[in-house]
Amino acid sequence: MGEVKEGGGDHGTIFMGNPQNLKRAGYNSEGGNVAYLPEYECTGGSTDPADKKCPYQLKTPDSVGLGLDGWDGRLLHMNMPSYRDPLCPRTLKYLFTKAKRPFDIRVRVLQQNVPSEDAGCLDEYCNMMAELRMETGGGDTSKGGPAGDDCPHKDQVFIHPIHAKDAAGPTYARGLLGQDIRQAYEENTLSPQDFCMSTDSHMDFEPHWDEKMVEMWYMAQNEYAVLSTYVANIDQLGVNLNGNHEVPHLCMVTFTSQVRTTATKCAHNLPKPKLTNAVWGAGLSFSKCHAELKVPVDPHTPGIFDGEEFNRAARFWTYGYDIYTPHRVYVLHDYPGSQHNPKTMGWGHGGFSPADLKHAYYRLNTVLDIPGGETDIDKALKLKRSKYGLGDRRSLDQLIQFSGVDLRHKKATIDGKNRCGNLQWVPFIENPKGVNYIPKFDDATEDPLDVPCEKSSVWYDPQIDGVGAGLVSREDGADEEEDTISAQQRRREEEAAEEEAHHAHQMEANELAGGKLHEDHAALAAALEAEEGGVGHGSSHRMERESGAAAAASKAEEEMENHGSGHRIFPPLLRGAPGLGGVTKGRLLMKGKHGIENLPVHVKLAVFVMVLGLCVALIISGGQKQRKRSKSKKSG
């Protein structure tokens, strides 16, 4: 992973961690500082020019008439969930008064207030700007706006109000904001080539933060870049921390009730944003708006705190996006002001039940193959391919290898390697429709509408999405005429299987009286169970719950387990992943059809033999009863 052991370097350093702490967490790394090597991200350390693989940059056809770089013609959309937060108005004031281009900023606030008790974010912002005008005499935005302006930039702020009692946690709030972003896109007031920034409602900003964030994003030289981290506290405003531009760096996780970002590292004197191992922080996310449109936060996950970040990171990454640590601090977080206010921490008592929380965990577990998710292959795949599922540019298996997180066994590391250091970018094939193309989903079912899959998609299966020039619908493929050669081959295989089954049936009928049939069925059942991948029960995977509502969910789950409903460890479901056993690719895995005709041949054989055995037994039993009745009549 490019761990060049140096204390300094021309391109800055990355702190890998304390050796003792790393060892306790299961890592083999020596820790300490390593030199940052920006070129490694394209070359992987190779000296062969042919090995250079760099991220995609914007192409002219996708620029929608704008420049390939720069901010001209683009807007910056700010998205902020706010729960009874008295600091929200101040955040609006700071972001506008400290911006270089305040008229190019649009703000959406998901305001979760008790109207009779909490001041409105926009109303109080207007009061603050009026006070600033009185203090300065008015002028530009930094002075509260022109003297005659009632409330500068008021028309650039959109408030989405809901009552605090209906709040359901960060993902629910961000999910509603995602729907607002989608609506703006459909109304042509937001372009995929605009910039989108998601943050909290208790923030402060460096002067000209907006222009600096845009410039920093371009320095990543990746159209699919997402800048994200846990931002520094506001006491570091204007401070070059430790004299070497120290910035927070996210690269490790742990498992609680879900995947939780932990053990934040740091980097020093970086010349540009650094590629991370797909660890994303909700406190700051900055990208082009096509990222927000493609990867909206799942609003069907009420009560979720742990699990939000890595779920979205996984979805970003499988859609082709890459997470970068910002190399400078331009946005800061008021941790004391927000965390010491009991009102702002009360969302955990909002409008969701223990059952809702349990279902939210089920969704997150299913999408990421974490134990405790859906065990039915078709249902799991349906959710993974849905609107709030995974992308189709990179696979979940690739994510596990790149991030190093062992999702399927709930371990922080899959191999003990420390991935906080230098990483190589993972290539993928861009969507042929371009970076601005937003996949389509059914509004009611949230199922994908872009079917059949095109060949660059990780979901593409030639048995379903096309044979040669002939393509079949993933939904209607069973009803369409099959390719002639494929159909003939399938019929030959089925005829051979039927002939083999017929011969086996005759032998089983002859052995029926000896009872061997039932022994064989038991052996076959055991073999099939073993073939399913050694699926065990999840009593050892009991989830830790942290909030009051979460604790109630844990109690409800424990009661269910005491009544015998254990959790099965979720098997790998992506094509090519180990553990699929005898599942037939294409027909059983992808079509979502049910019935004996879609089962593997050996299972069909077992079912047929069982039915035949019952029939023979009934015939023999019926014949014996008939002979007894005949004898009875004769003796009478």
Side-chain angles (χ1 to χ4, degrees):
M1 290 299 163
E3 292 192 19
V4 181
K5 293 293 296 183
E6 295 181 15
D10 294 338
H11 304 294
T13 58
I14 308 156
F15 178 63
M16 303 288 285
N18 178 282
Q20 289 76 25
N21 294 340
L22 291 170
K23 185 176 181 180
R24 281 194 294 268
Y27 294 94
N28 302 324
S29 171
E30 297 179 5
N33 291 315
V34 300
Y36 174 49
L37 306 175
E39 67 278 6
Y40 188 94
E41 294 175 2
C42 287
T43 66
S46 173
T47 57
D48 186 348
D51 292 334
K52 188 172 184 178
K53 299 180 180 65
C54 294
Y56 296 105
Q57 298 195 48
L58 183 64
K59 301 177 179 65
T60 300
D62 293 324
S63 66
V64 295
L66 302 172
L68 296 181
D69 55 19
W71 194 359
D72 291 342
R74 295 179 170 92
L75 297 175
L76 170 54
H77 299 264
M78 290 277 294
N79 309 301
M80 300 192 311
S82 172
Y83 182 85
R84 309 192 68 181
D85 190 355
L87 300 180
C88 181
R90 191 188 73 180
T91 300
L92 289 180
K93 174 187 173 182
Y94 287 161
L95 76 87
F96 280 120
T97 58
K98 296 185 178 184
K100 176 74 176 291
R101 297 170 54 167
F103 290 94
D104 290 331
I105 298 174
R106 304 291 181 268
V107 184
R108 293 172 181 81
V109 179
L110 197 284
Q111 179 173 278
Q112 304 158 97
N113 277 0
V114 177
S116 61
E117 300 178 15
D118 305 318
C121 185
L122 182 58
D123 293 339
E124 193 61 26
Y125 157 76
C126 290
N127 293 336
M128 288 182 174
M129 294 298 279
E131 292 177 3
L132 182 60
R133 282 196 301 277
M134 291 181 63
E135 294 172 1
T136 62
D140 61 18
T141 299
S142 66
K143 297 180 179 180
D149 193 339
D150 174 48
C151 183
H153 310 294
K154 179 179 180 180
D155 294 339
Q156 296 167 227
V157 180
F158 169 74
I159 302 293
H160 181 158
I162 67 172
H163 199 284
K165 67 179 177 62
D166 297 320
T171 55
Y172 179 71
R174 280 188 252 274
L176 293 181
L177 283 171
Q179 294 176 0
D180 295 336
I181 293 169
R182 179 72 188 205
Q183 182 178 347
Y185 166 69
E186 293 173 350
E187 294 173 351
N188 293 320
T189 57
L190 178 150
S191 165
Q193 279 299 310
D194 287 344
F195 291 99
C196 277
M197 176 170 160
S198 175
T199 189
D200 294 329
S201 57
H202 28 264
M203 313 300 285
D204 201 347
F205 306 84
E206 291 283 353
H208 296 178
W209 65 271
D210 51 339
E211 184 176 71
K212 292 175 180 177
M213 288 297 297
V214 170
E215 291 175 351
M216 181 163 58
W217 182 87
Y218 277 113
M219 293 177 72
Q221 297 184 305
N222 184 348
E223 179 68 12
Y224 295 84
V226 179
L227 306 180
S228 183
T229 191
Y230 287 166
V231 296
N233 189 49
I234 56 172
D235 63 0
Q236 296 176 25
L237 183 67
V239 175
N240 177 3
L241 189 61
N242 293 326
N244 57 11
H245 295 292
E246 181 175 302
V247 294
H249 174 45
L250 307 182
C251 54
M252 288 187 176
V253 303
T254 187
F255 281 87
T256 58
S257 55
Q258 258 286 323
V259 193
R260 179 176 183 144
T261 306
T262 189
T264 303
K265 303 297 182 287
C266 58
H268 312 94
N269 290 323
L270 300 180
K272 62 181 286 293
K274 180 204 172 300
L275 179 67
T276 77
N277 57 327
V279 179
W280 177 85
L284 174 66
S285 183
F286 189 96
S287 64
K288 287 283 185 73
C289 286
H290 51 70
E292 288 285 338
L293 290 166
K294 291 178 194 174
V295 192
V297 175
D298 186 354
H300 307 307
T301 52
I304 290 296
F305 187 78
D306 287 5
E308 170 195 7
E309 294 175 324
F310 199 79
N311 174 271
R312 199 167 192 219
R315 295 173 55 229
F316 271 134
W317 200 82
T318 54
Y319 268 101
Y321 292 94
D322 297 289
I323 315 300
Y324 288 80
T325 289
H327 72 294
R328 294 291 183 271
V329 176
Y330 301 132
V331 181
L332 301 101
H333 190 287
D334 189 345
Y335 289 102
S338 61
Q339 295 179 353
H340 294 169
N341 186 339
K343 274 189 177 182
T344 62
M345 305 300 290
W347 61 264
H349 305 288
F352 60 95
S353 67
D356 293 330
L357 182 61
K358 185 173 183 179
H359 181 71
Y361 282 124
Y362 155 85
R363 286 180 66 89
L364 298 184
N365 290 337
T366 299
V367 168
L368 297 185
D369 279 5
I370 297 173
E374 178 58 60
T375 57
D376 181 275
I377 290 177
D378 291 329
K379 291 180 181 178
L381 191 62
K382 179 181 174 69
L383 182 57
K384 287 183 178 185
R385 297 189 63 236
S386 71
K387 182 176 182 178
Y388 300 106
L390 299 173
D392 70 339
R393 298 296 102 189
R394 295 168 172 147
S395 72
L396 186 59
D397 286 331
Q398 287 179 298
L399 171 69
I400 291 172
Q401 290 300 320
F402 179 69
S403 69
V405 180
D406 191 352
L407 296 168
R408 290 166 180 146
H409 300 94
K410 297 184 73 170
K411 295 181 179 179
T413 173
I414 194 173
D415 53 16
K417 294 180 180 179
N418 187 336
R419 287 170 169 79
C420 293
N422 295 292
L423 301 171
Q424 185 176 19
W425 177 74
V426 177
F428 65 94
I429 301 175
E430 285 191 291
N431 190 307
K433 296 181 180 180
V435 67
N436 297 324
Y437 178 73
I438 312 303
K440 295 180 174 60
F441 297 90
D442 185 276
D443 289 337
T445 66
E446 298 181 351
D447 291 335
L449 298 178
D450 295 328
V451 291
C453 294
E454 47 82 27
K455 291 186 177 181
S456 65
S457 169
V458 300
W459 302 119
Y460 176 79
D461 188 324
Q463 297 187 47
I464 294 168
D465 296 300
V467 179
L471 295 177
V472 297
S473 168
R474 193 171 288 270
E475 279 72 20
D476 302 323
D479 301 322
E480 298 290 334
E481 182 177 358
E482 294 180 272
D483 174 87
T484 303
I485 297 176
S486 298
Q488 291 176 349
Q489 176 65 25
R490 180 178 60 81
R491 283 195 294 270
R492 283 195 295 269
E493 292 175 353
E494 290 177 349
E495 288 171 359
E498 289 172 359
E499 182 177 350
E500 180 182 353
H502 177 69
H503 176 70
H505 297 160
Q506 289 180 326
M507 295 182 62
E508 296 290 358
N510 293 335
E511 297 173 355
L512 179 62
K516 186 176 183 297
L517 178 64
H518 304 291
E519 297 173 5
D520 289 348
H521 283 170
L524 178 59
L528 289 175
E529 183 177 357
E531 187 177 3
E532 286 179 355
V535 176
H537 292 277
S539 59
S540 62
H541 297 280
R542 187 181 305 279
M543 298 178 181
E544 298 177 16
R545 317 286 185 173
E546 296 183 350
S547 67
S554 179
K555 182 177 180 181
E557 182 175 323
E558 181 176 355
E559 290 175 355
M560 291 186 66
E561 289 181 357
N562 290 337
H563 285 84
S565 63
H567 295 280
R568 299 175 66 193
I569 297 176
F570 193 65
L573 295 183
L574 293 179
R575 287 195 304 278
L580 283 175
V583 176
T584 305
K585 292 184 180 180
R587 298 190 65 196
L588 179 62
L589 179 61
M590 300 296 288
K591 284 189 178 179
K593 301 296 183 181
H594 300 280
I596 192 170
E597 71 277 4
N598 292 296
L599 294 173
V601 172
H602 59 278
V603 179
K604 290 182 183 179
L605 174 59
V607 173
F608 192 93
V609 170
M610 186 179 295
V611 173
L612 179 63
L614 290 173
C615 291
V616 174
L618 288 172
I619 292 171
I620 294 175
S621 176
Q624 291 175 344
K625 290 180 180 179
Q626 181 66 33
R627 286 194 293 273
K628 288 180 180 179
R629 284 196 293 269
S630 298
K631 290 180 180 179
S632 177
K633 288 180 181 180
K634 288 180 181 179
S635 62

